[in-house]
Structure formats: structure tokens, C-alpha cells
Amino acid sequence: MNTFPDDFIWGTATSSYQIEGAAAIDGKGPSIWDAFSGIPGKTHRGETGEIACDHYHKFKEDIQLMKNMGVKAYRFSIAWARIFPTGKGTVNEEGIQFYSDLIDELIKVDIVPWVTLYHWDLPLALQLEDDGWLGETISDHFAAYADLCFERFGDRVKNWITLNEPWVVAILGYGQGVFAPGRVSTSEPYLAGHQLILAHAKAVHVYREKYSHQKGQIGITNNCDWREPLTNSEQDKEAAERALQFFLAWFADPIYKGDYPEVMKKRLGDRLPTFSAKEQKMIKGTSDFFGLNHYTTMYAAHDDGTAKERSVYGNGGISEDQDVDLSLDENWKLTLMNWAVVPWGCKKMLEWIDQRYDHPDIYITENGCAYPDELVDGKVDDQERLDFYKGYLQACQQAIEEGVKLKGYFAWSFMDNFEWASGYDKRFGLHYVDFDTLVRTPKNSALWLKEAIKNNSADTILEISDKIKSI
Ligand code: GAL
């Protein structure tokens, strides 16, 4: 059996809006996702995060389920509007108390908290008053909010993630308009991306300058799918590389190299804002680790002008800016999101990051899949998810063997939850949630992960008898 390094961190992940519910309870202010999901037609069946998994009231039970699985770490996010109901100004002490209790409960059972400061639920007031991520004041408000979180929670929290997936915020929130705040534009994504990078960097400076005595680490989580050249032609290889740069290097290059990738500057011209020399200096080096959310792979080819007719546009970004034609191999299995299951793409993605960013410590802060699970006799036989995890974790293990410094892996998600525009229709959980009764049930994938954690190995086989054993 191949094993992971002894100190490998096995975790699960969630985010505030997707699980907490209690949307307007104990002083929480509205977020852009409360508003967006309330607009008819924006989410599947008009579903919202108003109740979600009611984790706000059930967090102790959830932590016990995590403990049962043997996870070493838990990644969750703080709802900014629970701490500052209007994004700035008056602090809501009840919100502070909730996260403080959650953190204490985790520590009590030896699960290490990994805290994301922003997982898309911007306080609505900042959208209305400050123009959200397009406004030039937002980065300072974010830094002030981060400052308070470090002050109140940093004695116990040693792992911080500033932003979750700025690419999604920019492209889906400001480009395609399918996520909050629902803007449709070909220029705003690059403006929003710019403010997101500045916000991240300012928060890291606050942490390093005021809270170094807390001795924690801080970084950012970016998402990227792998892009495999469709053919061996130079054109297709360049197209795949270009697609990766528009996806991941857009955010990672400023942080690791000080500026946007050349290919983006060249192709976007005036639509891509510029950083001053002072800003470049402020941004460069602001990540202690490389956080990666990775879900799938697509082929990339040079777009010869006919791409629109034959391409599948999955997480492509603004394709006109890239001239990349994305496609799938018909033999690849698809999840319920229509994302292809391609573990070797994960390995290649890790190797690309390792090379481009000079061998950083990497944490996969999300990886997982949605399937149409069914609860039968109190059990969920989600063999496809189990196989997914096994395949991706084996690919991770191989990447480590080849020298990639992958330090940990967080499965998305601990439990089924509000999957943004897809509402409750797409189940990503290791635990099945009955959204009528809110009862949680570990799926077979959770039983497998428990064994894998125990063995510290992705080669773990789940015996049939284990499947029916209660966790
Ligand atoms: C990520 C996101 C998560 C979750 C997941 C599955 O992009 O960070 O919140 O929704 O995708 O779609």
C-alpha cells in the first residue's frame, strides 16, 4: 500500500452560506447571496440558503460526525455579514460568539480549524454602498474585517485563507452573471479581479504586520481545472497553456511573481487594470502556501473560429479573450455537474503549479463531486464518489512521490449543501442531508475516507462488510 507522508493533512471543507442557514438570525446582515437567491429564476427552484443545513444550530453534531471520520482539519468560512452586518462599522458580537464556539468545539476534539475569510457572501450593504468588488474602497473594508477576525480568533486559528476562488467571483459573478451579484460584462471581471487581489494582499499585510506573534500561516485559494492540449501541435499546446494562464495565473502570478501574465496583458490591453510599482511590491509574496480547488479537466485546442459550434464551455472564462476551444473526451465519465472525472489531470495540475511557482507548499482545499445519491434503508451507496476520491487521492499521492510538496487535501464537501445556482439539486457531500428533516447520514464514501485516513493511504479498499457497518 502506498502511503502519504506522516504529517499529511486530511480534511473536509464547507462554506458559510452553503451550510449555516440562520440567514437573518442573531444580528446577521443580508449578503449578496441572500439577495441574489431571492430573485426569481436565479437558483434551481428558487432555493436559497435561508435554512440550508442549519449548521448554525447543529455545529456540535457536525463536528462529532467529522470526529467520527477521523479528519485532522476542517475548512469553513466566516460570513462577513454575521460579523459586520453592513460590512463595516458596528461589530455583531453574537456572530463573533458563534464562530468562537465553533472554533473551541473543533479544538476540543483535536480538529484543526482552517478559516476562509471570504467565500462569496459579501455583505449586501457593501454591494449597494461601495459597488461591491468593483469599488475602490472594498479592499480596505476587507482588510479591516480580516483584522477583526485575526484579533478575535487568531489565538486559536493558525491557518487562514483570505479569499475563496476569486476567478469564480470575477467570472461567474461579474462576467456571466450566474452567481451573485449577477452582473454581465466582458470588462468588469478584470476590474473585480484587480480589487480582489488588492484585498487579499492588504489582509495578508495586516496579518504579518500586526499578528506575527500568533505564528500562523496565511494564503489564498484559487481554483483551476486542468487543460490538456488536444493534439501535439504547437498551437494546441500554446492554447492549453494560455487557458491555464487566464484561469489560474491571472490571480497567482501577481501574488507569486508581482504582476499579471504577459499573455493577458497583451490580449486584454486596456481592459486589464495595471498595478503601480508600489502595489506590485505589496502584492508579491503574499501567500505562505498555494491553496488549490480542483474539480475537472478539459481538452484545449486553438480556436480557429468554429469553436462556438462544437465546444463545451465548462469554466472557460471569457473565451473570446483566449481563443481556446474546450472539449471533452467521450470516454470520460461525467459527474452530475457534467464535469469529467480525470485523476491524471489533477496530477498534471499539481506539477504545473509546482514548476511555475517555484515548488510551493500546496494544499488542495477542495476536490469532490456531485452524484444523484439516494438514501436507502439508512445508507447511501455512492460507489462513484468513493471511486472519485480514491482516483484523485491516488493521483495526489503520485504527485507527492514525484516531488510536489502537496501537504494536505480537503474533500468537498463534509455534507450535502446549498450548491449555489444549483440549489439543493447537486449533492457534493460525504454526508447525505435530508433537507426536510436535516438528518445527516454518512455515505459509503465517508466510510471509505475514514479508512483511508486511518491507513494514511488512498489504496484503501472498503470491505463490503464495512459498508454496512455504522460509522
Ligand atoms: C467550488 C466552491 C464551492 C462548491 C464547489 C462545488 O467552486 O468553492 O463552494 O460549490 O465549487 O461546485
Side-chain angles (χ1 to χ4, degrees):
M1 218 188 248
N2 294 308
T3 54
F4 284 91
D6 286 344
D7 56 356
F8 191 72
I9 293 171
W10 297 83
T12 59
T14 63
S15 88
S16 47
Y17 192 70
Q18 294 179 277
I19 65 162
E20 283 178 5
I25 283 180
D26 292 345
K28 177 182 166 286
S31 79
I32 56 171
W33 266 97
D34 289 306
F36 184 76
S37 60
I39 301 172
K42 296 296 182 194
T43 64
H44 178 73
R45 293 193 299 232
E47 287 163 348
T48 75
E50 196 184 340
I51 298 172
C53 309
D54 199 23
H55 173 76
Y56 188 77
H57 296 110
K58 292 176 174 290
F59 73 92
K60 288 192 179 164
E61 178 191 331
D62 289 335
I63 291 170
Q64 190 51 49
L65 288 168
M66 284 175 215
K67 184 69 200 155
N68 291 354
M69 280 184 68
V71 298
K72 312 263 183 282
Y74 172 49
R75 172 179 177 238
F76 63 92
S77 77
I78 293 179
W80 187 342
R82 219 181 266 294
I83 303 290
F84 285 111
T86 58
K88 55 194 165 193
T90 313
V91 177
N92 176 35
E93 290 298 333
E94 283 174 289
I96 298 275
Q97 193 61 49
F98 168 67
Y99 293 109
S100 193
D101 292 347
L102 171 67
I103 292 162
D104 286 346
E105 191 71 16
L106 287 165
I107 290 172
K108 201 162 93 188
V109 295
D110 277 333
I111 296 177
V112 177
W114 281 62
V115 177
T116 307
L117 290 166
Y118 184 71
H119 201 125
W120 309 351
D121 44 358
L122 188 76
L124 183 59
L126 290 181
Q127 188 68 42
L128 303 177
E129 294 164 12
D130 293 73
D131 219 2
W133 289 106
L134 298 177
E136 299 202 341
T137 42
I138 188 91
S139 57
D140 288 327
H141 294 317
F142 179 71
Y145 154 64
D147 191 335
L148 185 79
C149 291
F150 303 144
E151 182 196 324
R152 299 296 189 92
F153 309 126
D155 54 335
R156 290 154 292 160
V157 174
K158 306 296 169 189
N159 302 281
W160 294 98
I161 293 168
T162 53
L163 307 176
N164 179 68
E165 303 188 353
W167 183 95
V168 168
V169 176
I171 294 290
L172 303 191
Y174 287 85
Q176 300 171 1
V178 294
F179 280 10
R183 310 260 324 163
V184 179
S185 164
T186 52
S187 52
E188 286 182 3
Y190 299 112
L191 302 176
H194 202 70
Q195 296 304 326
L196 283 156
I197 295 166
L198 289 169
H200 153 81
K202 286 184 185 178
V204 172
H205 279 276
V206 169
Y207 189 64
R208 290 187 179 160
E209 280 147 33
K210 281 180 74 175
Y211 299 97
S212 59
H213 59 277
Q214 293 181 350
K215 297 198 178 6
Q217 57 172 351
I218 187 162
I220 185 169
T221 275
N222 283 300
N223 59 309
C224 197
D225 303 334
W226 177 245
R227 299 295 182 233
E228 181 71 9
L230 181 66
T231 72
N232 266 333
S233 74
E234 280 315 308
Q235 267 200 329
D236 285 356
K237 283 190 203 160
E238 272 172 32
E241 179 64 22
R242 196 159 65 239
L244 290 166
Q245 295 202 20
F246 266 83
F247 206 151
L248 183 56
W250 173 8
F251 296 99
D253 271 24
I255 292 168
Y256 282 84
K257 297 173 186 287
D259 204 0
Y260 291 120
E262 280 309 315
V263 69
M264 288 188 74
K265 288 195 205 169
K266 217 170 104 203
R267 284 178 163 256
L268 297 172
D270 288 351
R271 284 160 60 219
L272 188 69
T274 49
F275 293 117
S276 68
K278 205 170 149 211
E279 285 170 336
Q280 288 186 1
K281 201 163 160 262
M282 195 257 306
I283 296 163
K284 193 174 172 189
T286 50
S287 208
D288 295 331
F289 56 85
F290 201 107
L292 173 72
N293 290 354
H294 174 79
Y295 284 92
T296 189
T297 286
M298 291 180 95
Y299 279 121
H302 180 69
D303 178 5
D304 56 10
T306 60
K308 281 222 163 56
E309 284 110 71
R310 53 192 163 83
S311 201
V312 188
Y313 279 97
N315 283 354
I318 301 177
S319 40
E320 305 84 278
D321 292 340
Q322 303 172 44
D323 291 323
V324 175
D325 180 13
L326 298 174
S327 57
L328 296 172
D329 186 319
E330 58 184 27
N331 296 316
W332 289 343
K333 287 188 186 153
L334 301 180
T335 69
L336 200 54
M337 301 294 279
N338 280 332
W339 296 344
V341 181
V342 189
W344 56 257
C346 180
K347 177 163 176 270
K348 289 196 176 191
M349 185 79 252
L350 290 168
E351 286 166 350
W352 189 86
I353 293 168
D354 184 68
Q355 274 171 23
R356 187 172 179 91
Y357 300 112
D358 204 13
H359 206 39
D361 282 355
I362 305 174
Y363 292 89
I364 290 188
T365 41
E366 283 180 34
N367 175 236
C369 50
Y371 284 108
D373 304 309
E374 277 179 54
L375 183 67
V376 181
D377 297 335
K379 295 175 195 75
V380 181
D381 187 3
D382 58 339
Q383 188 63 38
E384 286 164 307
R385 184 175 291 102
L386 191 161
D387 293 341
F388 177 100
Y389 278 125
K390 188 170 189 171
Y392 274 81
L393 276 157
Q394 283 175 332
C396 288
Q397 205 266 328
Q398 285 160 14
I400 295 173
E401 237 162 62
E402 279 161 38
V404 171
K405 288 200 291 186
L406 179 66
K407 301 285 178 185
Y409 175 100
F410 292 78
W412 183 272
S413 176
F414 163 67
M415 62 183 155
D416 298 335
N417 57 47
F418 176 75
E419 177 52 30
W420 308 112
S422 306
Y424 297 96
D425 192 44
K426 303 282 190 291
R427 295 177 174 274
F428 272 88
L430 290 157
H431 292 80
Y432 184 92
V433 177
D434 177 328
F435 288 105
D436 293 325
T437 61
L438 296 178
V439 168
R440 286 90 155 118
T441 306
K443 302 178 189 175
N444 277 348
S445 54
L447 305 182
W448 177 81
L449 200 57
K450 176 184 176 155
E451 291 305 306
I453 296 170
K454 210 189 287 165
N455 297 337
N456 202 24
S457 172
D459 297 337
T460 296
I461 294 169
L462 188 68
E463 301 300 335
I464 302 293
S465 57
D466 286 336
K467 288 192 188 177
I468 50 172
K469 241 178 20 201
S470 149
I471 196 162

